[in-house]
Amino acid sequence: MSKSARHSSETLLKIKTLGELNASGYTSKTIKEELRGNLIEKLQSGEQVFEGIWGYEDTVIPDIERALLSMHDINLLGLRGQAKTRIARMMVQLLDEYIPVVDGSELNDDPLSPISRYSHDKIEELGDATPISWMHRDARYTEKLATPDVSVADLVGDVDPIKAATLKLPYSDERVIHFGLIPRSHRCIFVFNELPDLQARIQVSLFNILQEGDMQIRGFKVRLPLDIQFVFTANPEDYTNRGSIVTPLKDRIDSQIITHYPKTLEISKKITQQEAHIKDWQQAHLEVGDLAKDLIEQIAFEARDSEYVDAKSGVSARLTISAYENLLSSAERRTLVNGEKKGVVRVSDFMSVVPSITGKVELVYEGEQEGPGIVAHNLVSKAIRTQFVNYFPDPEQVRKQKINNPYKDITEWFGDGNTVDLLHDADIKTFQKTINEVPGLKTLVENYHGSTTKEMKYFLMEFALYGLAEYSMLSKQELVRGTQFKDLLSSMFSMDDRNISDIE
């Protein structure tokens, strides 16, 4: 452990001058040495470094840790919604809690190793009496979104003519420079989001900063050995559609780490449950089964495999987070409308997640022709179809066997001309009464999930209707206020053109 690490925060904060700092035995470290040293301590103690980042335990996180141990600048390459920026922000926790800076310095100068003209002059004038202040690690993070309008002046700096005139100094004098974001991030983590969107000529300005630490402003070379941990993020889609990272810049970024979406439903569910904003009322009054949570995640998995969705653009984890929030709000609204104290999420509530899908997926040409609404409904339908066989016998296999059909009573009842209208806003009693009218549904659920709760049984009964419709054993028709189920053959020949808004 370094000398500086042995100092307690309280002891450090009492040090107010350069002389006191020297007397304390404090030793400086570069930011990369800080990250490396603190990471080593955490790894040795078994402490979680990137807590709450699920699915990267064996892939991305070890790569990041290796890059930090190598003291590399990093590029996180991956599709949207893969926690790239969040990981970068969490790196702040690997910094020392406080570092000393020359008081008043624009560039966070280390009192023991200053780089700016201001600090050099200050220390030369005051010596050991030079005042210092302490910078908390939370202030040592800078984030910039790369947009086409970003200029060299924004990042590196520019000559301030007013300063030059006031101080009567030439433009070549460092004291007339207005420093940009990067010099002001000396001894900090600097995160550049969506790097390919940065114009190529602006990317060129980063070459020497990354490699040699010097800059050019208006043709004047300024030697500043900047100490910065760079973290870039990039979307591979950008490499072809909007821009690219110029080759010399890529060459100067030491480690490029590829991120990915959750590989399993369980990991995806952990992320959604952690990130979704569940309101206190919803937490206290709504019941959500595991199947409903699985269906939400399944929608994203179906979207990533869909022929209508642009795979290069990706399907963000934000889709499932927003969809889950909408799912709960749908059940909450129905509970409030009916004046009930408790509510239960239903399969019909999944129609309310469509607005969370349509704005979060990029469609290919065929998807645009279908329309975002239809594609979103199809994704929900596919999710129901995929999950159905995890809870009930595969209808495809049942058709082939032609014996021991667990769905016989259900399909025959509908075959006799019966229909069921499940209305979205129906109260619990009406909903349960309607579901109970279908013979065979309750028996089906009891046979395969008899030990589950009463509320979950009704969810599964409704789920069975939706699932059988997806396997073409029933007909499903979307109504303005709900969903109608009936026999498949009769619906094909039906000429019933009644106004669906009349259904009560």
Side-chain angles (χ1 to χ4, degrees):
M1 184 182 292
S2 66
K3 290 183 180 179
S4 58
R6 288 195 293 267
H7 287 286
S8 69
S9 296
E10 290 182 3
T11 303
L12 289 175
L13 295 175
K14 290 177 182 177
I15 297 173
K16 301 296 183 183
T17 65
L18 176 58
E20 292 174 359
L21 186 67
N22 282 320
S24 72
Y26 181 91
T27 56
S28 298
K29 294 179 290 184
T30 67
I31 187 169
K32 288 183 169 67
E33 288 172 343
E34 280 183 59
L35 291 166
R36 173 182 162 81
N38 291 325
L39 174 59
I40 288 172
E41 288 186 10
K42 286 182 180 289
L43 291 175
Q44 288 176 334
S45 66
E47 188 178 344
Q48 182 67 257
V49 179
F50 296 97
E51 194 170 354
I53 303 295
W54 303 106
Y56 287 171
E57 295 86 351
D58 301 317
T59 54
V60 177
I61 289 176
D63 283 342
I64 293 172
E65 291 171 348
R66 284 187 280 267
L68 293 176
L69 290 172
S70 299
M71 300 196 295
H72 284 176
D73 292 314
I74 298 170
N75 181 30
L76 296 174
L77 178 66
L79 297 171
R80 55 186 173 159
Q82 292 184 350
K84 300 187 294 294
T85 303
R86 179 168 184 172
I87 288 171
R89 289 173 180 171
M90 294 181 78
M91 288 183 191
V92 171
Q93 299 307 311
L94 290 173
L95 297 173
D96 290 347
E97 188 175 8
Y98 289 97
I99 58 167
V101 297
V102 175
D103 199 34
S105 167
E106 287 184 280
L107 306 187
N108 310 318
D109 276 300
D110 182 350
L112 303 180
S113 182
I115 65 170
S116 72
R117 177 70 175 270
Y118 168 86
S119 295
H120 278 293
D121 290 347
K122 195 86 168 175
I123 292 171
E124 186 176 340
E125 177 190 353
L126 300 176
D128 284 349
T130 302
I132 67 169
S133 56
W134 292 89
M135 188 177 188
H136 192 264
R137 60 185 167 212
D138 288 346
R140 298 174 64 194
Y141 179 88
T142 305
E143 187 175 304
K144 179 64 177 173
L145 177 62
T147 54
D149 63 332
V150 173
S151 67
V152 174
D154 294 332
L155 299 179
V156 180
D158 203 351
V159 170
D160 187 339
I162 297 176
K163 272 187 181 180
T166 304
L167 299 174
K168 297 181 179 179
L169 294 170
Y171 284 0
S172 58
D173 194 300
E174 181 189 324
R175 287 170 291 181
V176 305
I177 295 174
H178 174 76
F179 289 107
L181 274 176
I182 292 177
R184 290 174 183 271
S185 300
H186 177 52
R187 305 172 76 198
C188 298
I189 296 173
F190 190 97
V191 178
F192 229 134
N193 282 320
E194 308 302 340
L195 181 60
D197 287 349
L198 195 65
Q199 293 184 54
R201 65 183 181 83
I202 311 300
Q203 292 184 34
V204 170
S205 68
L206 300 177
F207 289 179
N208 281 7
I209 296 174
L210 278 171
Q211 198 72 44
E212 291 85 17
D214 60 358
M215 309 180 300
Q216 280 196 3
I217 297 177
R218 292 285 179 127
F220 298 109
K221 190 172 182 179
V222 181
R223 181 64 184 170
L224 285 176
L226 295 172
D227 179 24
I228 299 174
Q229 172 67 53
F230 281 99
V231 180
F232 303 97
T233 74
N235 188 324
E237 177 198 15
D238 296 341
Y239 285 175
T240 56
N241 286 4
R242 294 198 293 270
S244 63
I245 302 176
V246 297
T247 303
L249 180 57
K250 278 196 290 186
D251 185 54
R252 284 166 168 80
I253 302 172
D254 307 298
S255 288
Q256 179 167 279
I257 297 168
I258 299 173
T259 59
H260 57 80
Y261 287 121
K263 297 183 183 296
T264 68
L265 220 62
E266 285 304 313
I267 293 172
S268 186
K269 192 159 58 172
K270 274 186 178 182
I271 295 170
T272 300
Q273 297 303 307
Q274 174 180 277
E275 301 299 324
H277 181 209
I278 310 304
K279 292 73 180 172
D280 292 341
W281 194 95
Q282 294 172 342
Q283 195 81 44
H285 296 84
L286 298 181
E287 183 169 337
V288 191
D290 283 338
L291 173 53
K293 296 174 182 178
D294 287 345
L295 283 170
I296 286 289
E297 307 308 326
Q298 191 67 50
I299 292 170
F301 277 74
E302 297 295 340
R304 288 166 192 149
D305 291 334
S306 173
E307 60 183 340
Y308 295 128
V309 176
D310 186 358
K312 291 181 180 178
S313 178
V315 178
S316 169
R318 299 181 190 95
L319 184 150
T320 54
I321 295 166
S322 297
Y324 186 66
E325 291 170 347
N326 261 359
L327 181 74
L328 294 184
S329 294
S330 177
E332 178 184 23
R333 180 185 176 279
R334 181 177 56 251
T335 305
L336 295 172
V337 166
N338 292 319
E340 296 168 331
K341 293 182 179 179
K342 290 283 185 180
V344 182
V345 167
R346 299 175 190 167
V347 181
S348 61
D349 291 323
F350 278 84
M351 298 306 106
S352 69
V353 309
V354 168
S356 298
I357 302 172
T358 53
K360 288 187 169 56
V361 293
E362 294 290 329
L363 303 180
V364 296
Y365 176 77
E366 292 80 4
E368 295 289 355
Q369 296 304 302
E370 289 288 327
I374 292 175
V375 171
H377 277 92
N378 287 342
L379 292 175
V380 175
S381 296
K382 284 187 175 182
I384 292 172
R385 181 184 173 92
T386 301
Q387 285 294 319
F388 185 77
V389 293
N390 294 332
Y391 289 82
F392 297 109
D394 187 343
E396 301 285 359
Q397 296 299 320
V398 169
R399 283 197 188 97
K400 293 177 183 176
Q401 293 170 359
K402 296 183 180 179
I403 55 172
N404 300 324
N405 183 348
Y407 309 118
K408 182 179 179 183
D409 291 344
I410 301 170
T411 56
E412 286 185 349
W413 184 78
F414 282 103
D416 291 337
N418 295 297
T419 63
V420 167
D421 296 335
L422 295 180
L423 303 183
H424 298 321
D425 290 338
D427 59 53
I428 290 178
K429 289 183 179 178
T430 303
F431 170 74
Q432 293 180 353
K433 180 177 179 295
T434 305
I435 284 284
N436 286 329
E437 289 176 357
V438 183
L441 265 184
K442 189 171 184 179
T443 303
L444 175 70
V445 173
E446 288 290 349
N447 287 342
Y448 292 97
H449 304 283
S451 62
T452 191
T453 64
K454 177 184 175 182
E455 289 76 13
M456 186 59 183
K457 286 178 181 177
Y458 276 103
F459 185 93
L460 286 166
M461 288 166 72
E462 183 190 12
F463 179 60
L465 290 178
Y466 278 87
L468 291 175
E470 296 307 325
Y471 279 92
S472 300
M473 297 184 78
L474 297 177
S475 168
K476 174 172 68 85
Q477 180 182 355
E478 295 298 331
L479 311 175
V480 170
R481 296 176 55 199
T483 306
Q484 183 182 80
F485 295 92
K486 57 183 177 181
D487 179 60
L488 183 64
L489 288 176
S490 64
S491 69
M492 292 171 65
F493 297 104
S494 173
M495 300 299 293
D496 183 6
D497 291 326
R498 62 182 171 161
N499 189 332
I500 57 178
S501 64
D502 292 337
I503 295 176
E504 298 296 331

